[in-house]
Amino acid sequence: MGRGKLRIYLGAAPGVGKTYAMLSEAHRRVERGTDCVVGFVEHHGRPRTEVMLHGLEVVGRRELSYRGAVFTEMDVDAVLARGPAVVLVDELAHSNVPGSRNGKRWQDVAELLAAGIDVISTVNIQHLESLGDVVESITGVRQRETVPDEVVRRADQIELVDMSPQALRRRMAHGNIYKSDKVDAALSNYFRPGNLTALRELALLWVADRVDEYLQAYRGEHNIRTTWQARERIVVGITGGPEGRTLIRRAARLAEKGAGGEVLAVYISRSDGLTAASPKELAVQRALVEDMGGTFHHVIGDDIPSALLEFARGVNATQIVLGSSRRKAWQYVFGPGVGATVARESGPDLDVHIVTHEEAAKGRGLPVARGARLGRPRIIWGWLVGVAGPVVLALTLSNVDADLGLANDMLLFLSLTVAAALLGGLLPALASAAFGSFLLNWFFTPPLHRVTIADPKNIVAIVIFVGVAVAVASVVDLAARRTHQAARLRAESEILSFLAGSVLRGETTLDALLERVRETFAMESVALLERAGDGEPWTCAGSVGPAPVERPEDADVDMPVGDHMALALSGRVLPAEDRRVLAAFAAQAAVVLDRQRLQQEAERARTLAEGNRIRTALLAAVSHDLRTPLAAIKAAVSSLRSDDVAWSDDDEAELLAAIEEGADRLDNLVGNLLDMSRLQTGTVQPLIREIDLDEVVPMALGGVPEGSVGLDIPESLPMVRVDPGLLERAVANIVENAVKYSPEGQRVLVAASTLGDRVELRVVDRGPGVPDDAKDRIFEPFQRYGDAPRGAGVGLGLAVARGFAEAMSGTLAAEDTPGGGLTMVLTLTAAAGRARPRAELSAQVTS
């Protein structure tokens, strides 16, 4: 069974007719024999909409009770059981009543689609999540119910239900949207003409963007490369030169002449990463095009005209804006130029504009050789072998009597040429070939010591020698350069792999990443600088190394990251080929900085949320749990003071006992609240000293009924390093909690034992126990487990006990009691040595 299809009627404001259009579509489908039902449609008392429900099958709603009221929601289970072909679900952004199957209605729709049911739904533009702030700034109303944009984007069909603001206000005035008592307020507030016009424009633009996405997808699926001029889209080709700003402004003016025009600035760099463009100038031009509402794109391509045309056709552009060439007249011998080539190959579907500027024909320099750097020592050795080597070889062969023959002499000189190519590259090899051919002619080709050559065969031999030497030198040089480039690319790939791995693992801190940059590029210092806006002073977000720079202008190398951030390096000037990897480091540094700040904000938010939760629970505790014992004390005191009743001695004793019990409960509750407050603010300062457990534990049992607890504390236990006051309070809370949940007639056992350098105090009860997934939750503040009555406490006892245990470097955990129940294990640090045997208390004590 395939996934169902989603159709959405999108409106700019309430009342434009979305639900009416949806119901009309349902009637059309029913007339065609489609099994269509109404899952949820809200007519809001509008007569015309209500009439449209007649004749359609309506699935019954589900009733839910919430805060004393009964609400109705769509019954997803009933719709799934009915299994229609099409279901109508109104108000896609609606939030379901707590207790529903899903929190949002769009989640209900997702279930229906997954079951293979087609869904027709409605939503207003103001309910899209990305437009919440925009709508609030226009209307002054914050939409609480929103739907993610991606849910609407994934719809198979989106139909805009449009209406002019004047027509919508007339419909409102006639009472077709709201009741008459609400019309005046609505017309003077949300339904003002300006608000409706702005919302309508938002809806039209949003739908236009979705239509453009569908068009691009269709062109891609059908491999359509020609331009369809459905929308004016202007591509600006920039080189990073100063003329780029002029081109961007000119393209923006062209876009303004056509409604909805779009500007796309594209910079094309070669695949080897080397470019003469200024990164600062590119950053300025990027900011300029974005300020004018356009977008900036960076494309890799060795053939610039082809890459530019490929990009333009890929984005369905209608125009290309290029600057007139900066080359001088004599430089056109190297080719017609990018502008002429693009204009010739653009075809009839692309208009090409050549814009003049002040930099035209001022020269731009010849292309620079893009080879690998062999290093100064190798180049020097290459020149020595290529120039001095033939001289030494010629002198050596001249002083040797053996006649090796011209062919062997040429092979020896050729070996020096190859060696020069291996060491110093092409230029030393060419020099070696030229100088070697001269020495062969002078010393070894008759007539000797003359430039002329008598035998034509020798002329051919020397020419062949020069040709072979040049060819071999070129091949060897190319192989050496490719080897060096391969090694460099391997190093770059390892660095980029490290960056990618650190991103996935989230391990790298900003300082570690900057230190990696400093080590990779052998720099003295590295700093990540940022500023709030243009013209604002730079601040240092992170740095490593001595004396980091304070401004990008003061650095030897700076790499912009966005508009207001830069990576500044000091120590040496980097070659152009290193900037590609540096750009990756700079981007990762910005990501790491953002991640650290987001983590800090998340931690602050978590702290605030926890504090807010505790404050809310505290208010609840004060409003009920603290007032309960106060009410009991007040009632008993009022009864004793009453002159209308003559109380007997037994009655007075009972009332006084009630007052004492209420005061004890109140003292316990207030004590726990104060202890929790101290733990939350970090003001608990334990006074650690060595003490025996049997001196503290019996004192902690004063608040439990006599005979409800059994003690098992061996005399041989070592002393523990604790704060006696905190330990007494923690044990009292643990024992009171155990007694509270123990069955009638079952005693709680408090036993102690040693485990290595730790002492464990176990409080064992035979109560209902706690599931594994709730064992940690019971130690959270203001948590009661199960059906504990409201008057049983505020849920702080175990939280305070664990907090005090951790303050004394101990732990408190919950375990299952064998045979049923819960065991609290309090682990404490044992003091060095054993406690003295004590005679005051026996091993078994019953409280």
Side-chain angles (χ1 to χ4, degrees):
M1 179 176 59
R3 180 179 175 83
K5 294 184 178 180
L6 174 62
R7 180 172 184 170
I8 293 179
Y9 287 92
L10 177 68
V16 295
K18 303 180 303 302
T19 304
Y20 190 91
M22 178 179 66
L23 292 172
S24 299
E25 175 65 19
H27 279 285
R28 285 192 293 271
R29 298 199 181 197
V30 169
E31 291 173 359
R32 294 195 300 265
T34 304
D35 184 13
C36 181
V37 301
V38 176
F40 187 98
V41 169
E42 189 65 63
H43 56 74
H44 297 290
R46 298 167 187 167
R48 297 184 180 181
T49 305
E50 187 175 2
V51 169
M52 293 296 294
L53 285 170
H54 296 168
L56 298 176
E57 179 184 348
V58 179
V59 178
R61 301 184 184 183
R62 180 186 179 191
E63 292 187 353
L64 296 167
S65 297
Y66 180 65
R67 293 184 176 178
V70 178
F71 298 88
T72 59
E73 295 288 358
M74 180 174 66
D75 194 338
V76 180
D77 292 325
V79 175
L80 292 173
R82 170 65 175 76
V86 181
V87 62
L88 308 185
V89 182
D90 204 6
E91 299 178 356
L92 186 63
H94 172 74
S95 297
N96 293 329
V97 175
S100 301
R101 182 189 188 98
N102 296 301
K104 303 288 288 188
R105 185 162 292 163
W106 62 264
Q107 295 172 327
D108 295 337
V109 169
E111 285 196 36
L112 298 177
L113 293 172
I117 302 174
D118 293 347
V119 178
I120 304 177
S121 188
T122 64
V123 71
N124 283 329
I125 192 68
Q126 66 264 29
H127 292 298
L128 295 181
E129 198 168 79
S130 66
L131 299 179
D133 295 337
V134 179
V135 173
E136 183 180 10
S137 65
I138 294 172
T139 64
V141 178
R142 182 67 180 183
Q143 298 296 329
R144 301 300 178 187
E145 294 185 329
T146 60
V147 58
D149 291 42
E150 189 60 28
V151 174
V152 183
R153 283 196 185 97
R154 287 200 302 264
D156 299 276
Q157 299 179 53
I158 299 177
E159 183 172 334
L160 178 65
V161 182
D162 190 25
M163 178 176 288
S164 68
Q166 294 77 14
L168 183 58
R169 285 173 59 84
R170 283 196 301 270
R171 179 180 288 184
M172 172 73 70
H174 292 159
N176 294 332
I177 301 177
Y178 294 151
K179 295 181 179 180
S180 57
D181 58 342
K182 297 181 179 179
V183 170
D184 291 338
L187 289 175
S188 59
N189 290 283
Y190 193 88
F191 286 82
R192 293 195 300 268
N195 290 356
L196 296 178
T197 302
L199 292 174
R200 188 187 188 197
E201 183 178 13
L202 277 178
L204 291 170
L205 291 175
W206 197 90
V207 172
D209 287 338
R210 302 292 77 73
V211 172
D212 192 63
E213 290 179 3
Y214 295 148
L215 178 61
Q216 295 292 347
Y218 179 84
R219 285 165 52 84
E221 291 172 359
H222 293 79
N223 197 26
I224 298 174
R225 307 304 299 165
T226 59
T227 300
W228 288 1
Q229 298 186 4
R231 182 179 184 182
E232 206 67 42
R233 188 173 280 110
I234 303 172
V235 170
V236 186
I238 59 177
T239 64
E243 77 281 359
R245 306 182 196 185
T246 302
L247 302 182
I248 292 171
R249 294 188 179 98
R250 178 59 175 156
R253 291 195 296 271
L254 288 174
E256 290 175 357
K257 295 179 180 180
E262 183 180 358
V263 177
L264 300 89
V266 56
Y267 169 71
I268 300 175
S269 62
R270 296 184 182 275
S271 58
D272 57 9
L274 299 175
T275 177
S278 167
K280 293 182 180 179
E281 183 62 27
L282 281 178
V284 171
Q285 294 179 17
R286 178 173 190 154
L288 177 61
V289 70
E290 291 176 351
D291 289 342
M292 293 185 174
T295 56
F296 182 89
H297 304 268
H298 190 168
V299 177
I300 305 296
D302 292 324
D303 188 347
I304 293 178
S306 298
L308 183 60
L309 288 171
E310 184 72 17
F311 174 83
R313 294 191 176 105
V315 298
N316 199 28
T318 58
Q319 302 180 55
I320 297 178
V321 175
L322 299 173
S324 54
S325 179
R326 287 184 286 155
R327 296 190 297 177
K328 294 183 180 296
W330 63 269
Q331 291 178 320
Y332 281 95
V333 299
F334 297 101
V338 174
T341 305
V342 170
R344 184 181 67 247
E345 300 178 359
S346 61
D349 54 351
L350 269 174
D351 297 333
V352 180
H353 301 266
I354 305 297
V355 179
T356 59
H357 50 85
E358 296 180 353
E359 302 296 324
K362 289 187 176 180
R364 55 178 300 173
L366 293 175
V368 181
R370 288 178 165 84
R373 294 179 297 123
L374 298 179
R376 185 180 297 273
R378 287 188 58 177
I379 293 176
I380 293 175
W381 276 105
W383 280 103
L384 287 176
V385 172
V387 176
V391 175
V392 175
L393 180 59
L395 294 176
T396 302
L397 294 177
S398 299
N399 295 325
V400 174
D401 294 337
D403 186 9
L404 300 178
L406 182 60
N408 291 328
D409 293 338
M410 286 185 177
L411 289 176
L412 291 174
F413 278 93
L414 184 61
S415 65
L416 291 177
T417 301
V418 173
L422 288 173
L423 291 173
L426 183 60
L427 291 180
L430 293 178
S432 176
F435 194 38
S437 63
F438 170 77
L439 293 177
L440 281 171
N441 180 22
W442 185 267
F443 288 102
F444 305 105
T445 305
L448 301 180
H449 307 299
R450 293 182 63 181
V451 179
T452 59
I453 300 175
D455 191 351
K457 295 181 180 179
N458 293 335
I459 297 177
V460 174
I462 290 180
V463 170
I464 293 175
F465 164 77
V466 174
V468 171
V470 171
V472 171
S474 300
V475 171
V476 172
D477 175 71
L478 180 62
R481 291 178 185 277
R482 289 292 182 263
T483 302
H484 183 82
Q485 290 173 357
R488 176 177 181 80
L489 290 176
R490 178 181 178 183
E492 288 184 4
S493 65
E494 290 177 353
I495 294 173
L496 295 177
S497 175
F498 161 77
L499 285 177
S502 65
V503 171
L504 294 175
R505 294 188 301 270
E507 296 175 349
T508 305
T509 63
L510 182 59
D511 290 342
L513 182 64
L514 296 181
E515 183 62 31
R516 176 83 180 202
V517 174
R518 191 172 74 90
E519 293 176 355
T520 300
F521 297 100
M523 289 293 180
E524 294 180 359
S525 64
V526 179
L528 183 62
L529 307 177
E530 62 177 348
R531 59 181 177 181
D534 295 336
E536 298 292 330
W538 291 92
T539 59
C540 182
S543 64
V544 294
V549 297
E550 299 179 354
R551 299 184 307 167
E553 296 83 0
D554 300 333
D556 294 319
V557 180
D558 70 287
M559 176 59 64
V561 187
D563 297 334
H564 304 119
M565 187 176 292
L567 190 65
L569 295 79
S570 299
R572 65 187 181 93
V573 178
L574 288 180
E577 60 264 29
D578 286 343
R579 297 188 66 90
R580 178 171 54 182
V581 178
L582 182 60
F585 271 112
Q588 176 63 6
V591 170
V592 170
L593 180 61
D594 289 341
R595 185 169 63 235
Q596 288 183 353
R597 290 176 175 173
L598 288 175
Q599 289 174 347
Q600 293 172 359
E601 291 178 4
E603 181 63 24
R604 287 196 296 268
R606 188 195 64 78
T607 303
L608 292 174
E610 178 67 16
N612 185 63
R613 187 183 68 82
I614 290 177
R615 283 192 296 271
T616 303
L618 178 60
L619 289 175
V622 171
S623 64
H624 188 282
D625 296 285
L626 294 182
R627 294 180 64 182
T628 300
L630 284 175
I633 294 173
K634 174 68 175 177
V637 172
S638 298
S639 298
L640 289 174
R641 295 189 61 190
S642 175
D643 297 331
D644 299 335
V645 180
W647 300 103
S648 65
D649 293 341
D650 293 339
D651 293 335
E652 289 185 358
E654 185 177 351
L655 291 173
L656 290 174
I659 294 173
E660 184 178 12
E661 181 183 356
D664 291 338
R665 287 176 55 194
L666 185 62
D667 179 67
N668 186 46
L669 292 173
V670 172
N672 277 333
L673 287 172
L674 293 176
D675 290 338
M676 196 68 234
S677 175
R678 293 167 60 200
L679 289 171
Q680 290 292 329
T681 57
T683 57
V684 176
Q685 298 294 334
L687 301 176
I688 303 297
R689 65 186 182 91
E690 297 181 1
I691 194 170
D692 287 322
L693 276 181
D694 53 12
E695 293 182 18
V696 178
V697 174
M699 299 173 60
L701 307 182
V704 296
E706 185 176 354
S708 60
V709 178
L711 289 180
D712 182 9
I713 303 179
E715 296 181 353
S716 58
L717 279 179
M719 302 177 73
V720 291
R721 292 181 49 80
V722 295
D723 182 314
L726 298 184
L727 178 59
E728 179 183 345
R729 185 74 177 178
V731 173
N733 286 353
I734 298 170
V735 173
E736 289 174 7
N737 185 76
V739 171
K740 183 193 310 179
Y741 289 100
S742 291
E744 189 70 26
Q746 289 280 350
R747 290 196 307 168
V748 172
L749 174 63
V750 179
S753 60
T754 59
L755 181 64
D757 59 347
R758 312 288 286 178
V759 173
E760 289 186 350
L761 184 68
R762 294 177 173 267
V763 180
V764 183
D765 67 60
R766 295 293 178 179
V770 176
D772 291 338
D773 58 353
K775 283 187 171 62
D776 283 333
R777 198 163 61 246
I778 62 176
F779 293 103
E780 296 178 4
F782 303 102
Q783 295 293 319
R784 294 185 183 86
Y785 177 70
D787 56 353
R790 290 285 300 173
V794 294
L796 283 176
L798 294 181
V800 170
R802 172 174 275 190
F804 284 171
E806 293 175 350
M808 297 182 293
S809 300
T811 60
L812 177 61
E815 298 178 355
D816 291 328
T817 301
L822 189 69
T823 299
M824 291 290 178
V825 182
L826 177 62
T827 305
L828 304 170
T829 304
R834 293 279 179 177
R836 292 177 291 111
R838 302 177 60 85
E840 293 84 353
L841 291 174
S842 61
Q844 295 284 343
V845 180
T846 299
S847 171

